[in-house]
Amino acid sequence: MTDLNAYRARVGEWLAANTEPRAEARRGDPLGLGREFTPDVLAAERALQRRLHEAGYAGITVPEEYGGQGLTPAHQQVFGEEARPYVLPDFGLMGHVCFDVCIPTMLAHASPEFLARRIPAILSGDDLYAEYFSEPDAGSDLAGVRTRAVRRDDGTWLLSGSKTWTSGGHYADYGMCLARTDWDQPKHRGLTWFAVPATAPGVTVRRIKQITGDADFCEEFFDDVVLTDDDVIGTVGEGWKVTQTMLFYERGGGTSGSVRSRDESGTAGRGRSPVAPDLVRVAAEAGRDADPAVRDVIARAHVDDLARAALGARLGELIAADPAKAAGYASYGKLAGGHFDPVRARAAMRAGGASAIAWEATAADGAVGGEDAQPPAAEVASAQLLNSRFLSIAGGTNEVQRNAIGERVLGLPREPAFDTRKPFNEVLKDARTWNGQVG
């Protein structure tokens, strides 16, 4: 269907007839952190995802041969705009990783046979993929991963090692896992990606408790997990190319077949944007909305919201116009989130004052009212404060983004490094005695 107006009408009719209106605030954190995905919750979300897929609204831009619709990004945008007022499948932060990062990365690098087997099951909600990416000794320096996959004489692979900070790893069905398959190559070579079943023998998943008391992230341990060539994503030994693509999408540099609406703030939509509605609400509930100082805080936050929305639109244009610099441009958006999220979180606390630190318990805090009950604005503000440093670390730190911008966009020379050309096994040996001198 090429007529976007007709497509919009069809989408609107289907959504009105088959989905529920979305409450103003289903949960307290815009990142989706803190929601407990029990088996019943997960089953309901999978069922809704399956309904969307069967109706043709999952994988809108994914090729038809892989279970998608083969339509344009414009169709995806139309669906997102029409779907904004409705409840869509929500798999938390792992859902973003699965649909907005893993699928487009697979489409860019995996074999047609792999895609034909795997993508339809993701789009239908049967299989959800997390990222088995960072490690205790390889976070910002992702090329330094030590999880290893060794090919055996029978052609299978044995995976061993560990990963950490996996979003939603405890309810994922698979993990896209970066492993080292050749230790005689320099660190950016000899890497390979695998699709690892989360319930395979030898896989142990443990949840990590956060400052909020929630446990949205996990660590995984691999003890001789058996994999096959059917699990390989991309070309053996060329996993860094896959990594670069994944980081591009992880940092918001593209769109995919996700059914989720990416714009939930209202600041990036067409027309006049509301003035920081979350801050207005926290100030009103605290009885501080008439305070001139508070109103100034809200106005400044609104200006920041508009600037970030304009930056996002501009980056989209630059990425489309100059794909060679797309990864560097994506770093601008990631850096903006890492910088301004803490600023905005502090603004909410200033708007709410003492009421944003302690508040009266309501039905939304307990079992009464369910997850669709609107939580107190102060609870939302406090959750945002505790999670506000998330984007300054996850997906590459602010410092990593600045390096990427300097090198890939501004053309500055790379920082000196002693380990980029040596075989990785020698890097590990030399690191024990390195004195900090380069060259």
Side-chain angles (χ1 to χ4, degrees), residues 52-65:
L52 280 172
H53 186 228
E54 292 171 351
Y57 296 119
I60 292 173
T61 61
V62 173
E64 293 182 71
E65 58 265 35

Side-chain angles (χ1 to χ4, degrees), residues 203-380:
V203 177
T204 301
V205 180
R206 297 177 184 169
R207 299 178 71 175
I208 301 172
K209 191 172 183 178
Q210 301 149 227
I211 189 174
T212 59
D214 301 317
D216 301 288
F217 305 99
C218 297
E219 55 185 351
E220 294 81 27
F221 301 90
F222 311 115
D223 184 13
D224 289 339
V225 180
V226 179
L227 302 171
T228 71
D229 283 342
D230 288 341
D231 300 311
V232 173
I233 302 171
T235 303
V236 172
E238 296 185 8
W240 191 246
K241 295 180 181 178
V242 182
T243 300
Q244 293 296 95
T245 301
M246 176 168 278
L247 288 173
F248 168 70
Y249 285 107
E250 190 176 65
R251 294 166 183 173
T255 57
S256 73
S258 171
V259 300
R260 300 178 64 234
S261 172
R262 299 289 297 276
D263 175 23
E264 298 186 357
S265 66
T267 59
R270 293 177 293 181
R272 180 175 297 178
S273 299
V275 177
D278 55 328
L279 271 61
V280 170
R281 181 172 166 242
V282 74
E285 290 189 9
R288 293 164 55 86
D289 50 329
D291 187 324
V294 171
R295 294 169 73 89
D296 182 66
V297 167
I298 294 173
R300 290 176 182 273
H302 178 57
V303 171
D304 287 345
D305 290 345
L306 294 177
R308 287 179 64 177
L311 174 64
R314 178 59 175 155
L315 290 176
E317 295 172 354
L318 291 172
I319 289 171
D322 191 357
K325 293 183 178 179
Y329 289 137
S331 289
Y332 278 105
K334 174 67 169 56
L335 180 60
H339 176 79
F340 281 106
D341 278 2
V343 172
R344 204 178 192 289
R346 290 195 298 271
M349 302 303 288
R350 291 177 63 191
S355 297
I357 298 176
W359 57 89
E360 294 291 336
T362 67
D365 294 321
V368 180
E371 69 165 16
D372 284 333
Q374 191 171 16
E379 181 181 345
V380 177

Side-chain angles (χ1 to χ4, degrees), residues 77-433:
Q77 181 177 347
V78 166
F79 180 84
E81 292 169 356
E82 293 299 311
R84 193 170 295 125
Y86 296 96
V87 175
L88 297 181
D90 182 357
F91 298 104
L93 194 56
M94 191 266 288
H96 161 64
V97 169
C98 179
F99 292 101
D100 294 339
V101 181
C102 291
I103 285 182
T105 301
M106 291 177 184
L107 289 172
H109 294 282
S111 68
E113 295 77 16
F114 180 98
L115 297 174
R117 288 195 310 271
R118 306 282 184 150
I119 299 297
I122 301 175
L123 295 176
S124 65
D126 293 330
D127 291 339
L128 299 173
Y129 280 69
E131 287 178 320
Y132 294 163
F133 211 166
S134 296
E135 298 182 2
D137 293 317
S140 294
D141 183 17
L142 288 168
V145 297
R146 303 186 191 183
T147 292
R148 67 176 64 210
V150 179
R151 189 189 286 276
R152 300 192 294 183
D153 292 340
D154 63 359
T156 61
W157 299 84
L158 278 186
L159 180 73
S160 59
S162 65
K163 298 291 181 177
T164 191
W165 300 117
T166 303
S167 303
H170 55 293
Y171 58 94
D173 302 294
Y174 286 84
M176 277 188 66
C177 181
L178 180 63
R180 190 166 298 281
T181 49
D182 188 345
W183 292 68
D184 293 324
Q185 294 290 330
K187 63 191 296 185
H188 292 88
R189 302 175 189 172
L191 299 169
T192 306
W193 281 89
F194 296 86
V196 180
T199 56
V203 177
T204 301
V205 180
R206 297 177 184 169
R207 299 178 71 175
I208 301 172
K209 191 172 183 178
Q210 301 149 227
I211 189 174
T212 59
D214 301 317
D216 301 288
F217 305 99
C218 297
E219 55 185 351
E220 294 81 27
F221 301 90
F222 311 115
D223 184 13
D224 289 339
V225 180
V226 179
L227 302 171
T228 71
D229 283 342
D230 288 341
D231 300 311
V232 173
I233 302 171
T235 303
V236 172
E238 296 185 8
W240 191 246
K241 295 180 181 178
V242 182
T243 300
Q244 293 296 95
T245 301
M246 176 168 278
L247 288 173
F248 168 70
Y249 285 107
E250 190 176 65
R251 294 166 183 173
T255 57
S256 73
S258 171
V259 300
R260 300 178 64 234
S261 172
R262 299 289 297 276
D263 175 23
E264 298 186 357
S265 66
T267 59
R270 293 177 293 181
R272 180 175 297 178
S273 299
V275 177
D278 55 328
L279 271 61
V280 170
R281 181 172 166 242
V282 74
E285 290 189 9
R288 293 164 55 86
D289 50 329
D291 187 324
V294 171
R295 294 169 73 89
D296 182 66
V297 167
I298 294 173
R300 290 176 182 273
H302 178 57
V303 171
D304 287 345
D305 290 345
L306 294 177
R308 287 179 64 177
L311 174 64
R314 178 59 175 155
L315 290 176
E317 295 172 354
L318 291 172
I319 289 171
D322 191 357
K325 293 183 178 179
Y329 289 137
S331 289
Y332 278 105
K334 174 67 169 56
L335 180 60
H339 176 79
F340 281 106
D341 278 2
V343 172
R344 204 178 192 289
R346 290 195 298 271
M349 302 303 288
R350 291 177 63 191
S355 297
I357 298 176
W359 57 89
E360 294 291 336
T362 67
D365 294 321
V368 180
E371 69 165 16
D372 284 333
Q374 191 171 16
E379 181 181 345
V380 177
S382 64
Q384 290 175 343
L385 179 69
L386 294 175
N387 286 319
S388 63
R389 298 289 175 178
F390 177 84
L391 285 181
S392 67
I393 301 172
T397 64
N398 287 355
E399 290 74 21
V400 168
Q401 307 313 314
R402 292 186 175 97
N403 280 349
I405 292 167
E407 294 168 8
R408 298 177 183 175
V409 180
L410 304 180
L412 300 177
R414 291 180 59 87
E415 290 189 346
F418 78 96
D419 59 354
T420 55
R421 297 183 180 180
K422 289 185 178 182
F424 192 68
N425 53 10
E426 293 185 16
V427 170
L428 295 181
K429 179 181 66 177
D430 294 346
R432 302 188 186 99
T433 57

